[in-house]
């Protein structure tokens, strides 16, 4: 049976937090909702029903979509040929010359069929994108929720190219149908536009992204640094983007095979010239390889039991014909002792893949032992009284301390289930419908 994994990994957008206020007291009930590419799929998150009250100003700002100007002329187009877009919220006061850029995630498409269905979705066409999105967590303008970056200029760049902002195929026709594989050009054109809007005068800048956008952050980190003034402080952060090249429960390298297809389809080999030619082309797309060349300081923020990776890399449905992982895949508390042992092995592989990163003094790490995916864009996980903590630090505190060089940050959590502050997701269906 062919592996059928990541056709649509969740974007951070898919883990959106909905706040419902209960009266003036500001008590908040929150539920994560995960939308899928074609259809909306609700995740049930009973855990969050019993949440602690948050600050009364918890309701996130809505920020409008800006479509890239002269997109066609630049050939910087979404999969379907529409203009790409981004959401920009201007900074203020002490943050007016500071910029935080977030690259949206949402999996990859590996062949013309899956890219064609993406063309008819928010992940492949700006015709379908929301005209406004919520800025929460690391993008929040509320100081209580986002102590270090609240007054910065903040930009969320929408993901619509299917290959982590990396493709640059000139030909618009693939087997007689129009497909635009132009992620690299989208990245460059959006950066050009933002530079003109003030980014070129940045005193400090932070490139971030989650999931496929986290991978894009690794890929573009040094290029981003090079665009900015030499004296500026520039760093990067990848959230939930450390995808592992591991064998799944049936000894297949499902994600490597998937990445090989993406690399071939969008001709990404040219982008990864440093990657050894003896390797399978798919291997070059893994963070473990990409980070080898990065010279700019990067913060690696990842759960040790990334829920998306458990569902699509470690225990994909296609590798589990007996459905023995069905419950564990949806709810880590339902894993059997044998399954937990495999999950601990997965955590070990993550630590092993990060061995060199741990030695880099100027890189930051926050690996919590939670079953979740993308934690920076929800105020609940980023910085709240009930946020997951490692060594008693929230992600906002750890990332802020690292960005501003207040201390060296390498927060490594103990093994599941040791951390009672985790928000472990409970799914009614896997990320992919
Ligand atoms: C285009 O079509 C040919 C013949 O049907 C097929 O072999 C090839 O794989 C297709 N190309 C892509 C990128 O799907
Ligand atoms: C953990 O941090 C909070 C502040 O964020 C502090 O009030 C508390 O005392 C700390 N707990 C420990 C055990 O250090």
């Amino acid at each position: 049976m062919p592996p059928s994994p990541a056709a649509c990994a969740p974007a951070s957008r898919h883990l959106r937090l909905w706040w419902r206020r209960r009266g003036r007291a500001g008590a908040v009930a929150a539920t994560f909702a995960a939308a899928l590419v074609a259809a909306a799929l609700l995740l049930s998150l009973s855990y969050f029903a019993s949440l602690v009250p948050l600050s009364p100003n918890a309701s996130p700002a809505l920020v409008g979509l800006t479509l890239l100007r002269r997109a066609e002329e630049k050939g910087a187009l979404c999969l379907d040929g529409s203009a790409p877009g981004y959401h920009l919220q201007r900074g203020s006061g002490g943050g007016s010359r500071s910029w935080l850029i977030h690259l949206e995630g949402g999996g990859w498409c590996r062949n013309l069929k899956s890219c064609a269905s993406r063309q008819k979705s928010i992940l492949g066409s700006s015709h379908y994108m929301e005209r406004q999105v919520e800025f929460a967590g690391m993008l929040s303008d509320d100081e209580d929720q986002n102590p270090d970056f609240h007054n910065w200029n903040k930009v969320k760049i929408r993901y619509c190219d299917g290959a982590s902002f990396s493709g640059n195929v000139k030909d618009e026709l693939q087997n007689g149908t129009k497909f635009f594989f132009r992620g690299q050009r989208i990245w460059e054109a959006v950066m050009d536009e933002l530079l003109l809007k003030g980014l070129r005068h940045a005193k400090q800048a932070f490139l971030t992204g989650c999931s496929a956008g986290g991978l894009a952050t690794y890929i573009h980190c040094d290029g981003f640094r090079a665009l900015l003034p030499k004296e500026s402080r520039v760093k990067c952060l990848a959230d939930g983007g450390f995808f592992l090249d591991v064998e799944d429960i049936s000894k297949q390298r499902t994600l490597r095979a998937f990445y090989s297809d993406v690399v071939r389809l969008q001709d990404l080999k040219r982008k990864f010239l440093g990657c050894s030619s003896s390797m399978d082309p798919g291997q070059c797309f893994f963070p473990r390889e990409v980070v080898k060349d990065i010279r700019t300081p990067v913060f690696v923020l990842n759960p040790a039991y990334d829920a998306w990776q458990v569902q699509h890399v470690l225990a994909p449905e296609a590798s589990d014909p007996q459905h023995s992982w069905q419950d564990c895949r949806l709810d880590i508390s339902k894993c059997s002792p044998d399954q937990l042992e495999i999950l601990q092995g997965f955590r070990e592989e993550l630590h092993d893949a990060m061995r060199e990163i741990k030695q880099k003094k100027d890189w930051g790490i926050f690996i919590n032992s939670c079953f979740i995916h993308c934690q920076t864009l929800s105020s609940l996980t980023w910085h709240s009284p009930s946020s997951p903590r490692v060594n008693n630090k929230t992600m906002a505190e750890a990332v802020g301390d690292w960005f501003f060089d207040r201390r060296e940050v390498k927060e490594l959590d103990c093994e599941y289930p040791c951390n009672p502050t985790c928000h472990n997701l409970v799914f009614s269906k896997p990320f992919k419908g």
Side-chain angles (χ1 to χ4, degrees):
M1 196 187 294
S4 65
C8 43
S12 45
R13 175 176 42 72
H14 296 145
L15 280 175
R16 193 176 305 139
L17 202 55
W18 301 96
W19 303 103
R20 193 159 23 88
R21 299 228 197 139
R22 282 209 210 100
R24 301 219 153 237
V28 171
T31 313
F32 270 110
L36 284 184
V37 171
L41 167 72
L42 279 186
L43 300 178
S44 69
L45 247 195
S46 47
Y47 187 91
F48 289 138
S50 58
L51 272 183
V52 297
L54 278 159
S55 114
N57 333 316
S59 135
L62 287 171
V63 181
L65 177 69
T66 304
L67 293 179
L68 178 75
R69 275 176 298 166
R70 296 162 51 212
E72 193 145 354
E73 182 186 317
K74 296 179 170 189
L77 300 165
C78 295
L79 282 171
D80 71 330
S82 62
Y86 58 87
H87 306 258
L88 164 62
Q89 185 184 51
R90 290 283 181 181
S92 61
S96 55
R97 285 181 61 194
S98 300
W99 288 74
L100 191 152
I101 314 282
H102 180 89
L103 299 174
E104 185 183 36
W108 311 269
C109 54
R110 74 189 307 179
N111 52 38
L112 295 182
K113 184 161 173 268
S114 58
C115 292
S117 63
R118 228 167 232 259
Q119 287 181 323
K120 299 185 201 71
S121 81
I122 46 178
L123 288 173
S125 169
S126 55
H127 295 140
Y128 298 89
M129 289 175 190
E130 307 91 322
R131 264 40 203 171
Q132 292 187 313
V133 296
E134 289 170 353
F135 271 23
M138 197 180 199
L139 293 176
S140 170
D141 58 3
D142 177 354
E143 186 170 1
D144 289 340
Q145 293 178 44
N146 192 19
D148 284 308
F149 309 107
H150 63 97
N151 60 357
W152 286 32
N153 297 282
K154 296 187 214 76
V155 187
K156 177 171 187 163
I157 304 179
R158 300 303 293 265
Y159 176 42
C160 64
D161 63 274
S164 287
F165 296 88
S166 292
N168 190 3
V169 177
K170 198 162 162 233
D171 207 344
E172 300 172 6
L173 282 182
Q174 309 288 330
N175 276 3
T177 310
K178 276 203 171 183
F179 284 94
F180 295 85
F181 297 139
R182 300 286 177 75
Q184 176 69 30
R185 290 203 218 180
I186 292 173
W187 160 260
E188 289 168 13
V190 172
M191 284 300 120
D192 284 348
E193 192 160 305
L194 295 176
L195 286 165
L196 291 173
K197 290 187 171 184
L199 177 61
R200 74 192 140 151
H201 300 303
K203 281 191 307 191
Q204 31 197 15
F206 202 0
L207 178 65
T208 74
C210 187
S211 198
L215 175 56
T217 300
Y218 292 118
I219 291 169
H220 289 295
C221 182
D222 279 346
F224 181 65
R225 160 75 274 187
L227 294 172
L228 295 165
K230 280 211 171 55
E231 64 282 6
S232 57
R233 177 196 299 264
V234 180
K235 299 190 179 186
C236 306
L237 175 145
D239 174 12
F242 211 93
F243 297 96
L244 291 176
D245 185 10
V246 294
E247 286 185 351
D248 69 18
I249 49 170
S250 69
K251 306 278 177 226
Q252 314 267 334
R253 291 195 186 255
T254 300
L255 189 57
R256 189 194 288 185
F258 189 93
Y259 275 3
S260 290
D261 285 354
V262 177
V263 166
R264 202 171 316 118
L265 184 66
Q266 297 223 15
D267 196 18
L268 300 181
K269 256 176 136 169
R270 290 185 298 152
K271 173 101 193 114
F272 300 108
L273 290 175
C275 190
S276 159
S277 54
S278 63
M279 280 204 258
D280 181 303
Q283 281 177 272
C284 306
F285 207 41
F286 281 95
R288 185 176 199 158
E289 295 305 317
V290 176
V291 298
K292 284 180 181 164
D293 296 324
I294 302 179
R295 294 192 309 268
T296 309
V298 179
F299 196 103
V300 180
L301 191 153
N302 227 86
Y305 313 92
D306 185 292
W308 187 85
Q309 292 203 58
V310 169
Q311 292 174 6
H312 297 286
V313 181
L314 182 65
E317 280 174 335
S319 297
D320 179 33
Q322 312 292 328
H323 306 294
S324 54
W325 277 76
Q326 198 158 318
D327 294 338
C328 172
R329 195 185 283 127
L330 302 177
D331 178 351
I332 194 169
S333 73
K334 302 234 168 84
C335 299
S336 69
D338 287 353
Q339 289 167 336
L340 265 187
E341 202 169 303
I342 291 170
L343 288 177
Q344 303 303 9
F346 183 77
R347 172 178 176 272
E348 285 304 313
E349 300 233 32
L350 174 66
H351 281 280
D352 189 51
M354 291 183 54
R355 213 170 28 214
E356 283 152 44
I357 294 175
K358 288 180 192 169
Q359 310 301 322
K360 299 184 188 206
K361 270 192 96 59
D362 58 347
W363 283 43
I365 304 180
F366 188 103
I367 305 290
N368 56 10
S369 285
C370 309
F371 182 70
I372 194 164
H373 182 64
C374 291
Q375 302 177 87
T376 51
L377 288 199
S378 137
S379 298
L380 188 66
T381 44
W382 173 244
H383 190 62
S384 79
S386 63
S387 285
R389 287 168 183 262
V390 178
N391 300 328
N392 201 30
K393 297 286 185 193
T394 64
M395 276 162 250
E397 289 163 346
V399 171
D401 285 351
W402 170 79
F403 188 90
F404 296 103
D405 297 322
R406 296 193 284 248
R407 64 186 176 96
E408 193 179 328
V409 177
K410 301 269 193 301
E411 310 294 12
L412 302 169
D413 208 351
C414 46
E415 274 188 0
Y416 175 87
C418 69
N419 189 338
T421 65
C422 274
H423 293 292
N424 295 319
L425 294 179
V426 176
F427 296 82
S428 52
K429 287 183 190 170
F431 273 121
K432 182 174 168 248

